[in-house]
Amino acid sequence: MNITKEKKLTNMRAASSDTFENMTPPRNLTLEESLEFAREDECVEVTPEAIRIRKVILAANERAKSNRARAKA
């Protein structure tokens, strides 16, 4: 390190850091629509505030194991 040389100070950001990815907004489904939309490995959770579709087996590696076992059978 040379103490006689001045450090270059720039206030510029990288061009790639300013890009934003757009996400699709969530679907607001009724109970009937969500029952039709759900696959066989998903369940529909109904609460007073919301209706959600989620996977029955939450862990991804456990889902993969069950899919392989189902494919063998």
Side-chain angles (χ1 to χ4, degrees), residues 6 8 10 15 20-21 23 25-26 28 31 33 51 57 70:
E6 179 182 336
K8 304 269 194 257
T10 59
F20 296 104
E21 303 234 356
M23 294 181 65
N28 293 326
L31 179 60
E33 290 171 339
I51 298 172
I57 303 172
R70 195 175 336 151

Side-chain angles (χ1 to χ4, degrees), residues 29-38 44 51-53:
L29 299 175
T30 64
L31 179 60
E32 292 83 14
E33 290 171 339
S34 59
L35 287 173
E36 290 176 8
F37 188 75
V44 178
I51 298 172
R52 291 188 222 51
I53 299 175

Side-chain angles (χ1 to χ4, degrees), residues 5-63:
K5 286 191 176 181
E6 179 182 336
K7 182 181 177 184
K8 304 269 194 257
L9 300 176
T10 59
N11 196 13
M12 301 296 287
R13 292 184 181 183
S16 63
S17 66
D18 291 336
T19 59
F20 296 104
E21 303 234 356
N22 293 333
M23 294 181 65
T24 57
R27 289 184 175 182
N28 293 326
L29 299 175
T30 64
L31 179 60
E32 292 83 14
E33 290 171 339
S34 59
L35 287 173
E36 290 176 8
F37 188 75
R39 295 181 181 171
E40 63 184 32
D41 64 339
E42 297 172 335
C43 67
V44 178
E45 290 183 341
V46 180
T47 63
E49 293 85 23
I51 298 172
R52 291 188 222 51
I53 299 175
R54 72 168 185 91
K55 294 288 188 183
V56 174
I57 303 172
L58 296 179
N61 57 350
E62 295 294 324
R63 276 198 310 264

